[in-house]
Amino acid sequence: MHLKSSKPYLPKIMAGFPSPAEDFTELSISLDSTLVKNPPATFMAYAEGESMIGMGIHHGDIVIVDRSLTPCDGDIIVAVLEGEFLIKQFSKTKTHIKLIPHNSKYPIIYINEDANFQVWGIVVHSIRSYR
Amino acid sequence: MIALADCNNFYVSCERVFEPKLNGHPVVVLSNNDGCIIARSNEAKALGIKMGQPVFQCRQILDEYNIHIFSTNFILYGDFSNRIMSILSSSAPEIEIYSIDEAFLNLNGIPNKKKFALDLRDKILQWTGIPLSIGVATTKVLSKIANTIAKDQSENNICILENPSDIKEHLKEFSISKIWGIGSQLTQKMNARGINNGYQLTQKSDLWIQKQMGITGLRLVKELRGEACLQLNNTWQRKKSITTSRTFAQGIDNIRDLSKALTTYANICATKLRKENSCAKSIYIILGIENSIHKHEIRKIINLNTPTNDSLEIISNCKEALRTVYNSKYTYKKAGVILSDIVPQSKVQLTVFDKTDDIKKRQKLMQAIDTMNNKYGRLKVRFAVNGYSPRWHPRQERLSPCYTTRISDLIRLKG
């Protein structure tokens, strides 16, 4: 997932009148540089299950995870809890940490002090394909 | 000041990023073909597993302690290496990439070395999940020693070796066999002369050192004394030779399969050569024979009139050479190709017999193949002689997914 520079589209030289747009070429839009701000710290993953539907993250969506960011209250995160990868909303108050699902069928996970818990990265984008 | 940043148990650490449940459990990584141990977690080291130990020798410990075993996944390790090196080079004014998991950094102009090292360590751990140790000293050789000391400090894996009396104390404790650039032969020679630790070496006269260890040895000892002789080497160097060789999971006893394997390695070598814009003038093929009676290697050299990086030309030469040395009596355990006498592609002198038009066409063909393989995956476009038979492929039973380079292999998050 390394940044590839996109080349501007330069037409072959025309024999007649030169293109008036030639002096105004810009690089094409690159999804890489739009979605990946910090390439060495960015990873991708698949979201599975239904617990984040309320946040618009569905089963099979690709999420882009930036490990260089510090988790803030309300961020969607990739968590590792007892060795298992989870995607949930992060909630941190003075007294405790919670992992909040966005589907009423799923319970809120309270993180105990002695839990084997780690914030693996921050979800910065999700991508869903429609066809 | 120079820092040496070195990842801790690098291959194991890469695997653990995507299998966090293995933190705290013993883990090992095997060599190509799953033959030997090439990386160990601290827990595996504590169980007495040795570096380079063949798997069959430690089978019992592996089973008894339920040690997690991985086949080597260089695609994954290479991706992590690129990430780490890119963070290092944007953090320090100058770096020399020394190996897949080590780099020297020039810290000139950085006021607080300790803080810099701690921040850098934290940053790489957070961004990539890979722990590293940093040793800082006035010379490259001392920074290597500082790094070894840092690795043993469980607290923060940072060691700043600056104070002369500190350096002296550490060198007294440091066996010369562990000093960078001193091999086992030189160690024996020095031990026989009563020199066992780094400090004793620094006390000898320049004349004596040069006589015993040559000019490179003298440079090394000066570096031990704190006098910088080795510069950071950040200029990219053309490889002197390119090798691809593999040991087979099962021996091969027919020329067809052997030829498929050998030409595949020839193609891999040629691709590496083109990546560096180089050409090679000599090709070696290596065949390894092993039976109950003996074990030996056959080498055959082919010298080309004009240096090349054309896969087809290198492949056909290897095939030709194989035909001349192949003996149907033997079972072959290993095959390999070495390209040497490497020159820049721009400096290749054509002979009067070379057809420039043909060469240009072939270069275009190679470029097209490389472009497709970069886009669709390694060796997706290859040559018919390379075949499709998986029989000779090296054994990789415990291979982890390519989490960072293949879209189908991404980790799955439970939501």
Side-chain angles (χ1 to χ4, degrees):
Chain A
M1 204 186 354
H2 283 277
L3 234 103
K4 286 182 198 88
S5 69
S6 1
K7 288 189 191 101
Y9 176 68
L10 291 176
K12 292 249 161 72
I13 292 169
M14 284 171 282
F17 194 70
S19 164
E22 213 171 304
D23 288 349
F24 300 93
T25 22
E26 278 189 1
L27 293 181
S28 301
I29 291 165
S30 152
L31 270 185
D32 263 14
S33 56
T34 309
L35 301 181
V36 180
K37 293 288 178 241
N38 191 357
T42 302
F43 295 84
M44 295 202 283
Y46 283 114
E48 297 203 318
E50 312 289 324
S51 84
M52 293 302 282
I53 283 181
M55 283 294 247
I57 299 172
H58 291 247
H59 183 86
D61 287 358
I62 290 178
V63 294
I64 297 180
V65 183
D66 189 337
R67 288 183 55 111
S68 66
L69 305 172
T70 312
C72 298
D73 186 52
D75 277 342
I76 311 238
I77 60 159
V78 174
V80 177
L81 183 60
E82 305 303 335
E84 192 177 31
F85 280 107
L86 303 175
I87 177 167
K88 292 284 184 278
Q89 190 180 25
F90 180 71
S91 163
K92 191 181 179 182
T93 58
K94 277 188 188 124
T95 47
H96 50 259
I97 293 175
K98 288 185 287 189
L99 298 180
I100 304 172
H102 279 262
N103 180 338
S104 54
K105 289 179 198 151
Y106 290 77
I108 293 175
I109 301 169
Y110 293 88
I111 305 298
N112 296 325
E113 262 173 39
D114 53 348
N116 189 355
F117 170 76
Q118 178 207 347
V119 177
W120 195 89
I122 311 297
V123 175
V124 285
H125 300 281
S126 70
I127 303 167
R128 186 170 340 136
S129 304
Y130 293 98
R131 61 173 287 179
Chain B
M1 295 287 271
I2 289 173
L4 177 70
D6 185 7
C7 301
N8 300 351
N9 311 331
F10 181 57
Y11 301 164
V12 168
S13 299
C14 292
E15 300 286 357
R16 277 176 167 172
V17 170
F18 294 103
E19 292 235 24
K21 62 173 186 290
L22 295 177
N23 286 323
H25 289 274
V27 177
V28 295
V29 177
L30 307 182
S31 59
N32 258 328
N33 209 27
D34 290 355
C36 306
I37 311 275
I38 56 165
R40 304 157 297 157
S41 69
N42 289 346
E43 300 79 11
K45 287 177 190 171
L47 289 170
I49 292 176
K50 299 273 171 292
M51 187 68 180
Q53 196 172 15
V55 171
F56 67 85
Q57 264 182 25
C58 48
R59 189 86 256 174
Q60 210 182 339
I61 308 179
L62 292 173
D63 290 342
E64 190 178 333
Y65 292 93
N66 201 12
I67 297 176
H68 200 96
I69 302 169
F70 285 104
S71 298
T72 174
N73 184 346
F74 280 122
I75 297 173
L76 181 68
Y77 313 151
D79 183 71
F80 270 99
S81 176
N82 290 339
R83 289 166 185 264
I84 290 162
M85 296 309 166
S86 104
I87 300 169
L88 290 177
S89 46
S90 61
S91 307
E94 186 190 7
I95 85 163
E96 173 191 344
I97 298 173
Y98 184 68
S99 73
I100 189 167
D101 62 350
E102 290 172 276
F104 289 102
L105 319 176
N106 181 346
L107 300 192
N108 289 341
I110 290 167
N112 187 341
K113 308 317 193 240
K114 177 113 190 191
K115 184 174 183 307
F116 173 84
L118 280 167
D119 289 350
L120 186 60
R121 188 197 127 81
D122 289 349
K123 189 195 225 177
I124 289 181
L125 183 62
Q126 189 192 335
W127 289 22
T128 66
I130 306 291
L132 77 165
S133 304
I134 302 178
V136 179
T138 47
T139 70
K140 276 173 120 176
V141 173
L142 285 175
S143 74
K144 269 265 187 192
I145 290 175
N147 193 285
T148 310
I149 299 166
K151 281 233 152 54
D152 294 333
Q153 282 173 350
S154 51
E155 173 200 346
N156 59 21
N157 290 139
I158 305 284
C159 169
I160 317 275
L161 212 51
E162 208 167 8
N163 182 332
S165 64
D166 263 6
I167 298 177
K168 186 174 158 186
E169 286 315 305
H170 279 298
L171 286 183
K172 276 184 180 169
E173 299 287 311
F174 215 82
S175 146
I176 59 163
S177 64
K178 290 199 289 178
I179 295 173
W180 185 40
I182 296 187
S184 58
Q185 269 189 335
L186 195 54
T187 303
Q188 276 179 17
K189 188 174 156 185
M190 287 296 145
N191 288 348
R193 285 160 181 73
I195 294 176
N196 300 307
N197 63 52
Y199 178 72
Q200 290 171 316
L201 205 54
T202 61
Q203 297 307 300
K204 288 289 176 186
S205 75
D206 286 3
L207 205 66
W208 188 87
I209 297 285
Q210 190 167 350
K211 211 169 152 192
Q212 301 290 333
M213 303 169 62
I215 188 75
T216 40
L218 180 60
R219 248 180 244 143
L220 191 155
V221 174
K222 281 185 171 174
E223 285 247 323
L224 272 183
R225 294 184 192 135
E227 185 187 330
C229 299
L230 304 170
Q231 304 303 315
L232 281 205
N233 188 354
N234 55 5
T235 51
W236 175 80
Q237 281 176 335
R238 210 168 283 279
K239 290 200 179 83
K240 294 208 170 71
S241 71
I242 289 176
T243 308
T244 303
S245 75
R246 301 278 187 276
T247 306
F248 306 125
Q250 294 157 353
I252 291 180
D253 57 4
N254 67 80
I255 192 165
R256 246 188 45 227
D257 282 345
L258 194 58
S259 169
K260 281 179 191 168
L262 194 72
T263 57
T264 299
Y265 307 150
N267 186 27
I268 294 171
C269 278
T271 310
K272 288 186 204 163
L273 205 52
R274 291 197 295 276
K275 211 169 169 185
E276 303 205 336
N277 293 318
S278 301
C279 288
K281 201 162 188 231
S282 312
I283 307 170
Y284 293 80
I285 66 164
I286 316 161
L287 299 171
I289 294 166
E290 194 183 330
N291 57 29
S292 49
I293 311 152
H294 64 300
K295 178 178 172 177
H296 73 279
E297 252 182 35
I298 300 164
R299 280 180 182 232
K300 167 95 181 163
I301 179 170
I302 308 130
N303 288 310
L304 305 170
N305 291 323
T306 311
T308 187
N309 59 21
D310 181 317
S311 282
L312 286 166
E313 194 179 341
I314 292 168
I315 284 174
S316 65
N317 276 294
C318 288
K319 263 189 95 173
E320 193 58 46
L322 174 64
R323 227 171 277 134
T324 62
V325 293
Y326 180 79
N327 187 332
S328 57
K329 271 197 320 214
Y330 297 125
T331 298
Y332 294 84
K333 285 292 284 181
K334 181 188 163 183
V337 174
I338 302 174
L339 303 180
S340 69
D341 286 330
I342 291 176
V343 294
Q345 187 165 10
S346 55
K347 300 244 169 78
V348 170
Q349 297 269 336
L350 298 181
T351 67
V352 283
F353 303 108
D354 287 319
K355 298 191 182 91
T356 10
D357 280 356
D358 287 0
I359 290 174
K360 277 194 183 135
K361 267 190 206 159
R362 286 278 276 274
Q363 279 175 356
K364 274 197 168 162
L365 175 64
M366 293 303 135
Q367 263 171 23
I369 292 173
D370 292 343
T371 311
M372 280 191 278
N373 282 335
N374 284 335
K375 193 165 170 192
Y376 297 109
R378 192 167 168 263
L379 299 183
K380 274 283 182 301
V381 178
R382 54 184 182 279
F383 302 92
V385 286
N386 298 154
Y388 204 80
S389 143
R391 250 199 71 198
W392 49 266
H393 276 317
R395 192 156 41 197
Q396 284 190 310
E397 284 169 358
R398 311 288 193 110
L399 191 62
S400 54
C402 295
Y403 300 103
T404 54
T405 50
R406 284 184 201 157
I407 199 86
S408 56
D409 286 6
L410 300 183
I411 44 163
R412 283 158 202 273
L413 313 172
K414 201 173 146 198

